[in-house]
Structures are given as structure tokens and as C-alpha cells.
Amino acid sequence: MSSDHRLALDNCIKCSICVSHCPVARVTDKFAGPKQNGPDLERFRLEEPAAVHPSIGYCTNCKGCDVVCPSGVAVSAMNCRARGEYVSMHGAPLRDKILARVDRMGKAARLAPSLVNRLAGLRPLRLLAEKMLGISAAMTMPRYAQKTFLELYKPQNVGDTGRKVLYYPGCYVNYNAPEVGLALAEVLAHNNIRVEVEQFDCCGLPLIANGLLDTARDQAKKNLAKLQGYINRGYDIVTTCPSCHLTLRQEYRELFQLNTDPLHEKMLDVFEYLSVLLQQGKLVTRFEELPLQVGYHQPCHLKAAGCGVPSREILQLIPGLRVADLDAGCCGLAGTYGFKKEKYAISQAIGSNVFNAVKELGVRQVISECGMCQLQIHHLTGVAVYHPLQVLAQACGHGKWLAK
Amino acid sequence: MNKYTDVLIIGAGLSGLMAAAKAAEQGKEVMLVAKGMGAVGLSSGCIDLWGYNLEDPNQVCQDPLAEIARLCAVNPQHPYARVRDVLEESLLFFRRVCQENGNPYLDHRGGNWLLPTALGTLRPTYLAPASMAVGDLQQVRGVLVVGFRELKDFYPDVLAANLKKSGVLQADCPLNTLMVCAGGGELTPNTLAYRLENPAVVDRIVDQIKPHLLPGAVLLLPPVLGERWDSQVAKNLAEKLGHPVYEVTNIPPALPGQRLQQMLLHHVKGQGVEVVIGCTVNGARVADKRCTEVLATGAGKPIKISAKTVILATGSFLGGGLESKPGKAWESIFGLPVETGHEKWSARDFLSMAGHLFNQMGIKVNEHLRPVDKTGEVIIENVMVTGANLAGCNHPIEKCGNGVAVASGYKAGKLAGEVGE
């Protein structure tokens, strides 16, 4: 055991704040909780890797434990490694191996997106998938776009501000929600900034969350090398998906001991990037009036980035727009988690707070940065859910997503 | 990444949240950053002001406000001496916020409540949430202590045996215990509280309790009756049983402290305060006795925050606000001096009635809560210090931790609200 590791473990004072804020442990006793699976058992695992509790499979990897820990213990990293150890000993079910490869599913769906979307809505087929694979028949499947973001995106001719921006879209924007990437391009073009794109691997989060750490590590190394190349050439990297962002910047370091220091300075959530422009007096703040009220849901992985809500400052500049914080905690989907038959009910129980908050506030449209949160909130409430960038693009005169 | 705000509060404990609520109410732009959830979620959920008599620490204090006035005269170094001017005002503000959010806090005719703990001892406290505010136990005509099979750390028989020994009940007062089942399994207090939010589960509990009720009996339960600050579980249970139902204090994690924390967080967010948990402040730049910016990191990313006023609500050694090594202690962000004295930092007995010296260590401040050096000179003009960071109180034995937090947080928020443009 290294002294660093020992220290990290000793920092846990067993205060149980992580347990009392764990959204999973709150609704079910199937998960032994972040403290027991994390720092408690980690002490044994350092000597005996087999000390993994099977309940580790019920952790959603929301990282709430990291956020609330007052002692700086990387609880979720311990849980992720524990799940990796469990899976390497016991193997992963076929279902998890399929769900963890969102990039492959996206590539396969490209052959016939309409057909895939139609099949995903066929009840008998879904029941079969539930029986054979354990994929919940009740959960709404993400819809695949007719064309990927990378196919649709055409670099625009804009004035030269000398700013170099590379966009890391992530699998969800590329295969399911290209309109978010296009909104990003419009917003930056509005500020005379041209966006570069590039073919990346999946950030690896779905693999990590399913305990398939070796494959995730390979992808991490490839992604990091590519990103480093752009940073060396003076690029800023922007993201729109909080989970990709956190994985690239934090998980690559905590789980794979890769050096992500350059990303801390050079990789920004797109709204952080726009805030920097605003502070430099370089943001074009001509916005159309949007007289509407929307609910806002903060994704867990954005919370875990510890930098607040980057869109807050910018959206406040849009005349007429009122953003009400749902303040309802985790939505419960957690990427692939809520699609699993045995976890669907847990996922819905966690999300009931979001359902109640939407009802209480009476909002008919919700915004949230995470594609999976968007899907779950729509599934729970039936309201339309958008990325904050779509609101901003609309205020810049592009797109008509939100109803006034 | 740079951020700008009028008032920056570091720490999400009780004093930080009070400061945020008060500063925001005065129209300031407020940001609250904290490296984790504050310790108020680990507290009993009650607001202790002053527990025992100054001269006779075995006697429960009958009039905490008067006792604090005397304390300030005999011990002008106590933090209460710095906040006495706003003490009553701060308690009214606290109670108003709680009331408006559907989580009323009650006082006991200006004196101390004597609330039963899970061990059957009685603890003095000044304000208690309605679900815990057991009136005079001397008057009750029967007590039924109810535990849950699913819950560890709460044993009705232990509570009952010690309560009997305490002599607070009338000699002929029936005192019974009962274990009920809430659906099986081994649950944490939070999971049980979640389960009890389901009315069908409460109905099943009611069915189990009813045959054991004696006329006039008061029920004592572990602090798990409802998840949220505005939960109706305790109230509904009492109505369905036709008997008063109370939660007793228990070891963390207990729900009343968490409810208070969640309520205050929800309240300040509703007031427009930007709350960022999981963001660690590790340093600051100071020029001409003014803090120009603090340096923080969120998941490894550096963030610089500039504010007109910075409120240091970082919570002593436990919260990481103070750090130490043998023979030396200091404040962790600004390096403010912490006097350690020459005596031993801790007493030989863990539960010493004299308390431990390290609990009294902290930052010296003036009447505006500004940190001062040995000569009384202000060290940084736009920084204020609140809560457990303040030098001179020994909260575990004085029973004043949350009282000092409420008053000092409120005062700092009020003063920050008065800072001009």
C-alpha cells in the first residue's frame, strides 16, 4: 500500500455524510452504500482484491459521495475500481457489454436509424429484450438521429478572431442529438469563432460504469493523446456533455493515473468558455427576447465538477428568460443504469424527486446539460427537455426548439 | 476560470448558510462554496444556546439568554461577546426562515427543553423542530418507546431503562417498549425515512402500535420520521394514532440535522445564492490588508473567485478550516494565527467535563467579526470569521455550537449586506 493511498483512506473519518446523500442507498437496501463499498472495504482490498461486495453493481457512479465528502476522499474512484475488480473476477453480463459500448451501438444504428427507432418502440420486441438480455422494456430508448453530428456539421465562414476551438461532442450528441452540436456551432459563429471537429473515441464512461476498465483505459490513452495534440497547437477544447468532461478531466487521472493537468486549463464546458469571453468583453450579447420560464436540472456529473452551473451567468443575459432551479438531486438514470431490468425501479424511485419538482414548479419545459438526464426527465414527466445551448442558440436567432 | 461576487461564503455549515441567507435577503449577490457538505447535517438538528449554569455545570440552565449575558461579562473572550448585539434578532430570523419553509422550530418558554436522547439521557436545548419538541416529561401519563427492527443504533430498552433511572418521569408513569417492522431488511436511517414517506408503510406501523397504546401515552421514536424538512410523517403518524409522537436525538446520520441543512440550502438557492459544493478553497491573495481573490479547485480545475466580502465559515479542525501539527495550529486559507497556549491540547478523559482545549482554539476577531492579531489590529479588512472557527468557546460542554453559528453567521451576513458599492 502506498503512503498516498493509506493517507487517502485515513482521511475518511466515517462521518457517513456520503451514505446520507447517496441517492441509491436512499431508496433501496440492495446497495451497501458508498462508505462500505468504498473506503471501508478498500482497506481490505489493498491486501486482498477479492474483498468486493456484490452490491457494488448497484452504485450508479453519480459521484454525489465525492461532492459531499468534507474530507476530500475520492469515494467514487474507490467504488469504480471495486466494480472493475468485481467484473474482472466474475465477468460482465452480455447486456452490460452491449450497453457499455454506446459508440458501437451508435455506429450500428447509423445503418438504418429510422428502423432502429421503430424497433425500439415495439413492445413485443422490448419484452423479448427484457427476457433475453435484461434490458428494461419500460424505459424509453434514446432515438438515433438520421445523420450524425460529424456528418451534418459544416464549418462556417466567420471573421477571424484568432481563437482556436476544438469541440469534443461525445457519443450522445454525435449519434442522438446532433442539434446540440449544431447549436454550439451557431452560438460560436455568432461570436465569429469557428469550431473544429475531430473523430474521437467514446470517453469511456459507460465502460467505467459497467466495470470494463481495461477497454476504457485504452480509449482514454488514445483520446488524451489526440487532445494533447490540439492543446499543443494552441486550441481550447470545449465540451457540452458534463459526463464526458468529468471523465476526460478527472477519471482518466483518478482511475488510470494519466496526466490530465493540461485539460484543467484548456478544456472548458462551452458555457465556461462563453463566460471567459464575457469577462474579456468579447461576448456578443445581442439576444432576442425569450419570454418563457424553464426548469433547470443540474446533472450530477456537472455538480461533481465543482464549478457551479456554468450556464447560469450567460442565460441571465437573455431578456425575458426565467430559469427556475428544480433543486431535486439525481434524476436516477445514470447512463446505462436505468436501462437494466433489475435497476429500472430503483432508477425511477430516485427520479421521483425530479418529477415532483417539475410538477411543483409547473414548468412545461426543462433544460439540462446531460443527454441522459434529458431522456430520463422526459420519460418521468413527459415535458420537453433541451440543452441550455439550444436556449442560447434560439436567443441568437437560430432554431425554434422552445415554445414561447 | 474567474468568478466575481459581492459576498463569498466559504463553508456550507450552519453559520455559512445563515450568512448566505441574511446577505442575500439584503440584495447582495452571494456565492457559497464548500469542499463538502457542512457538519450541520451531522448535528442533532436542535439549536443549543447555552446548556448549563455557569457556576454549577451540573444544573441545567433555566434562562439561556440571561446566562449568556452573564457569560459575556465574566468571559469577554467568548464568541457570544462578539455577537450579543444580534443574538435575539438572529434567532428570530432563523425561526422565520424555518417557519416560512414549513419546518417550524419551537422554544420552551424562553428556557431550555430537556429532550430525551436515544440513550435515555436528557439533553438541554433552546430550539427544537416541532417533531422533537417533547414537552414536560414530568407531566406525561405514559411513555411508549418504539424502535424499528430494520434500524441499528436505536434500542428502545436502553432508552427506557435510562429514562427510568433519570427520575424525570412520575413514579407510577407506565414506560413500555415496542419493536415494529417497516418491511424488513437492514436499513440506514435515510433508507428507513424514505420508506416511511409511503403512507401504506405508516399504516402498517400504526396497526402494529395500536394494540400497545395506553391512554395518555406519549410515543418516542428514533429520528427517522420523514426525509424532507417539510415532511408530514411525524404529524400523520400522531394523527392516525391519536397520541403525540416525537423523535429523540440520536447519533449521526440522523434526519433532523439533515432536514435543517437541506432546508437552508434550498432556501438560499431560492434567494438566488449560487451554491457550489465540491469546490475546495486552498489559498488566497491578500494585498493592503484586503483579500483580492481566493484560489479554489473543483475536480482539479483552478477557479479564482473575487469578492468584496469573504466570510470564513470553514468549521474549525473537523471542517478543515483549522490545521495543526504538534505544537502549532493555523487557519488553512489565509494562514490566520491560532493561539494554542502552553497547556495540553486535550484532557486525559475523552468525556472530560472540563472539555478539551483544542475545541477552544480558533481565530480571534473584533466586534465586526474581522480577524485580529494579538494587539487587536485587524489582519484582513474584508474577511469575517464565523461559527466553529471563532476562538474561545468550548461548544461540546457549553452546548452553544449551533447558537454561536446562528448568531455569528447572521451577523456576518448582515454586515456584508451593509458593505457599500
Side-chain angles (χ1 to χ4, degrees):
Chain A
M1 199 188 331
S2 76
S3 64
D4 270 6
H5 218 124
R6 212 182 283 272
L7 198 66
L9 277 175
D10 287 348
N11 280 346
C12 173
I13 59 166
K14 313 292 172 205
C15 69
S16 293
I17 280 184
C18 58
V19 184
S20 66
H21 284 85
C22 172
V24 182
R26 174 181 157 249
V27 302
T28 177
D29 58 347
K30 292 195 171 116
F31 180 45
K35 181 171 78 73
Q36 196 187 100
N37 278 303
D40 289 2
L41 282 175
E42 183 83 350
R43 207 168 279 282
F44 296 98
R45 281 195 292 268
L46 294 168
E47 313 296 342
E48 173 51 74
V52 277
H53 194 283
S55 88
I56 189 65
Y58 280 88
C59 166
T60 61
N61 193 31
C62 74
K63 306 202 174 290
C65 43
D66 291 357
V67 175
V68 298
C69 177
S71 308
V73 180
V75 187
S76 78
M78 292 180 194
N79 279 311
C80 280
R81 281 196 297 269
R83 188 173 25 234
E85 275 163 28
Y86 187 81
V87 167
S88 69
M89 282 187 296
H90 302 278
L94 175 64
R95 185 239 359 235
D96 292 10
K97 288 181 189 158
I98 295 171
L99 290 178
R101 300 308 301 258
V102 291
D103 48 348
R104 285 190 185 162
M105 286 196 288
K107 275 180 199 147
R110 270 176 67 189
L111 301 172
S114 307
L115 181 66
V116 173
N117 291 340
R118 200 144 10 105
L119 294 178
L122 284 182
R123 182 103 185 118
L125 206 64
R126 292 295 302 273
L127 287 171
L128 190 70
E130 180 165 299
K131 207 166 158 54
M132 304 290 289
L133 289 167
I135 296 174
S136 164
M139 186 60 210
T140 306
M141 282 286 161
R143 293 184 68 78
Y144 287 98
Q146 294 303 319
K147 284 192 169 170
T148 67
F149 166 70
L150 290 179
E151 287 168 342
L152 289 169
Y153 176 64
K154 304 270 176 296
Q156 305 191 15
N157 272 327
V158 293
D160 187 18
T161 53
R163 293 177 186 273
K164 293 154 97 174
V165 171
L166 174 81
Y167 175 43
Y168 183 97
C171 300
Y172 193 77
V173 164
N174 194 32
Y175 297 111
N176 304 95
E179 63 275 13
V180 172
L182 297 173
L184 169 112
E186 293 293 355
V187 166
L188 290 184
H190 193 72
N191 288 282
N192 291 317
I193 298 166
R194 202 169 83 136
V195 176
E196 302 280 334
V197 295
E198 157 81 271
Q199 188 83 50
F200 282 98
D201 279 38
C202 169
C203 71
L205 177 62
L207 289 159
I208 293 167
N210 283 287
L212 302 161
L213 298 187
D214 290 341
T215 318
R217 185 183 292 110
D218 294 342
Q219 295 184 186
K221 284 182 186 159
K222 280 199 266 176
N223 281 334
L224 205 54
K226 251 183 206 174
L227 291 169
Q228 186 64 58
Y230 278 91
I231 290 172
N232 293 346
R233 281 179 278 141
Y235 277 82
D236 284 314
I237 296 144
V238 297
T239 62
T240 50
C241 170
S243 291
C244 295
H245 187 106
L246 194 72
T247 304
L248 295 166
R249 198 153 69 73
Q250 177 175 280
E251 304 293 76
Y252 285 8
R253 185 190 73 229
E254 283 192 346
L255 293 177
F256 309 133
Q257 288 76 50
L258 300 171
N259 178 18
T260 59
D261 285 348
L263 295 182
H264 291 322
E265 288 288 352
K266 289 293 177 186
M267 189 172 78
L268 298 108
D269 176 279
V270 61
F271 280 99
E272 287 181 308
Y273 185 80
L274 296 172
S275 288
V276 173
L277 289 185
L278 179 69
Q279 285 162 12
Q280 294 170 345
K282 299 276 168 62
L283 186 75
V284 178
T285 52
R286 279 190 325 268
F287 297 121
E288 286 177 16
E289 195 176 347
L290 288 182
L292 47 96
Q293 187 183 16
V294 297
Y296 172 70
H297 167 78
Q298 186 180 17
C300 291
H301 286 173
L302 183 59
K303 232 176 241 174
C307 59
V309 178
S311 66
R312 184 183 155 111
E313 193 180 8
I314 304 292
L315 293 188
Q316 275 171 356
L317 303 172
I318 300 174
L321 181 70
R322 280 173 304 150
V323 182
D325 192 352
L326 296 185
D327 192 25
C330 180
C331 79
L333 185 61
T336 61
Y337 189 91
F339 292 97
K340 298 175 183 176
K341 180 184 152 196
E342 73 282 10
K343 286 160 185 144
Y344 174 75
I346 295 171
S347 152
Q348 297 302 300
I350 297 170
S352 66
N353 279 351
V354 175
F355 173 84
N356 292 337
V358 168
K359 213 168 72 176
E360 227 167 86
L361 284 171
V363 288
R364 284 173 299 143
Q365 302 179 96
V366 170
I367 53 172
S368 186
E369 290 85 350
C370 167
M372 288 288 120
C373 294
Q374 291 164 13
L375 186 76
Q376 171 85 332
I377 296 168
H378 178 68
H379 177 75
L380 285 163
T381 65
V383 302
V385 194
Y386 304 97
H387 194 288
L389 256 182
Q390 291 172 276
V391 182
L392 187 63
Q394 197 164 329
C396 292
H398 302 280
K400 293 259 176 285
W401 292 287
L402 287 94
K404 288 186 191 173
Chain B
M1 208 41 230
N2 298 309
K3 288 184 176 259
Y4 305 89
T5 183
D6 290 335
V7 183
L8 170 68
I9 294 152
I10 312 172
L14 185 54
S15 76
L17 289 165
M18 285 297 288
K22 187 58 190 168
E25 190 194 59
Q26 293 165 97
K28 292 289 173 188
E29 194 186 347
V30 183
M31 191 174 167
L32 185 150
V33 302
K35 70 172 179 176
M37 274 293 166
V40 64
L42 297 175
S43 78
S44 66
C46 298
I47 305 297
D48 300 344
L49 267 197
W50 194 262
Y52 300 96
N53 276 356
L54 279 170
E55 285 78 21
D56 183 0
N58 289 312
Q59 289 297 317
V60 169
C61 161
Q62 298 299 323
D63 186 347
L65 286 168
E67 202 72 354
I68 288 168
R70 295 203 299 127
L71 165 80
C72 294
V74 297
N75 180 6
Q77 296 310 313
H78 198 281
Y80 270 136
R82 306 281 173 278
V83 296
R84 227 194 110 202
D85 55 330
V86 299
L87 179 56
E88 289 178 56
E89 184 183 323
S90 70
L91 293 167
L92 286 174
F93 177 77
F94 172 81
R95 291 182 68 179
R96 175 161 65 74
V97 169
C98 295
Q99 181 75 40
E100 284 170 5
N101 286 282
N103 182 20
Y105 268 65
L106 310 177
D107 73 338
H108 191 53
R109 302 186 291 271
N112 268 316
W113 296 95
L114 267 185
L115 301 183
T117 69
L119 287 179
T121 54
L122 295 163
R123 76 186 293 281
T125 193
Y126 187 73
L127 293 177
S131 67
M132 301 178 88
V134 191
D136 294 322
L137 281 170
Q138 293 97 322
Q139 314 288 331
V140 302
R141 286 189 285 138
V143 175
L144 178 62
V145 185
V146 180
F148 293 89
R149 289 193 197 288
E150 294 81 3
L151 185 69
K152 295 180 289 180
D153 304 330
F154 184 83
Y155 303 97
D157 289 338
V158 174
L159 196 166
N162 284 329
L163 190 61
K164 200 164 193 72
K165 257 191 251 169
S166 76
V168 68
L169 300 174
Q170 287 176 22
D172 59 349
C173 175
L175 175 57
N176 298 311
T177 63
L178 176 68
M179 287 302 263
V180 294
C181 177
E186 194 178 276
L187 307 182
T188 69
N190 285 74
T191 323
L192 180 54
Y194 169 79
R195 216 178 255 188
L196 291 172
E197 290 286 354
N198 180 349
V201 175
V202 172
D203 285 343
R204 284 202 291 277
I205 305 284
V206 168
D207 291 343
Q208 294 170 65
I209 295 175
K210 268 203 165 151
H212 302 272
L213 282 173
L214 295 172
V218 164
L219 282 85
L220 301 179
L221 282 93
V224 294
L225 302 181
E227 285 196 288
R228 267 171 61 112
W229 62 88
D230 53 359
S231 173
Q232 301 296 312
V233 172
K235 200 167 152 259
N236 290 344
L237 187 59
E239 273 170 17
K240 285 176 179 170
L241 290 167
H243 285 250
V245 167
Y246 297 104
E247 298 177 290
V248 304
T249 56
N250 201 3
I251 56 167
L255 273 296
Q258 293 177 42
R259 288 180 209 134
L260 176 59
Q261 177 163 53
Q262 294 303 331
M263 180 203 75
L264 290 171
L265 276 167
H266 186 75
H267 175 79
V268 301
K269 285 181 196 169
Q271 297 276 95
V273 174
E274 184 174 3
V275 176
V276 188
I277 312 277
C279 177
T280 308
V281 176
N282 3 56
R285 283 189 222 288
V286 177
D288 296 331
K289 289 192 167 189
R290 288 189 69 80
C291 167
T292 53
E293 61 185 8
V294 306
L295 313 170
T297 54
K301 182 188 276 257
I303 304 165
K304 293 175 189 163
I305 311 168
S306 304
K308 295 190 185 90
T309 308
V310 177
I311 296 174
L312 198 58
T314 45
S316 188
F317 294 109
L318 184 63
L322 304 181
E323 288 178 52
S324 67
K325 58 183 184 186
K328 190 172 160 49
W330 64 95
E331 185 279 317
S332 57
I333 295 171
F334 296 94
L336 296 169
V338 173
E339 262 183 66
T340 54
H342 299 291
E343 299 155 62
K344 280 196 153 182
W345 286 17
S346 59
R348 198 177 143 271
D349 295 331
F350 178 64
L351 296 174
S352 162
M353 280 303 284
H356 300 289
L357 182 69
F358 69 82
N359 280 321
Q360 289 181 49
M361 291 180 189
I363 304 155
K364 274 189 163 180
V365 295
N366 67 11
E367 73 275 23
H368 295 110
L369 301 178
R370 311 256 189 261
V372 295
D373 63 16
K374 273 183 188 156
T375 65
E377 188 85 14
V378 173
I379 303 170
I380 310 174
E381 279 161 0
N382 61 337
V383 169
M384 283 186 266
V385 183
T386 62
N389 271 338
L390 294 166
C393 81
N394 208 329
H395 58 89
I397 54 160
E398 293 172 348
K399 300 276 169 242
C400 67
N402 279 353
V404 167
V406 165
S408 61
Y410 173 86
K411 183 165 182 173
K414 188 178 178 184
L415 291 171
E418 288 163 4
V419 171
E421 292 308 308

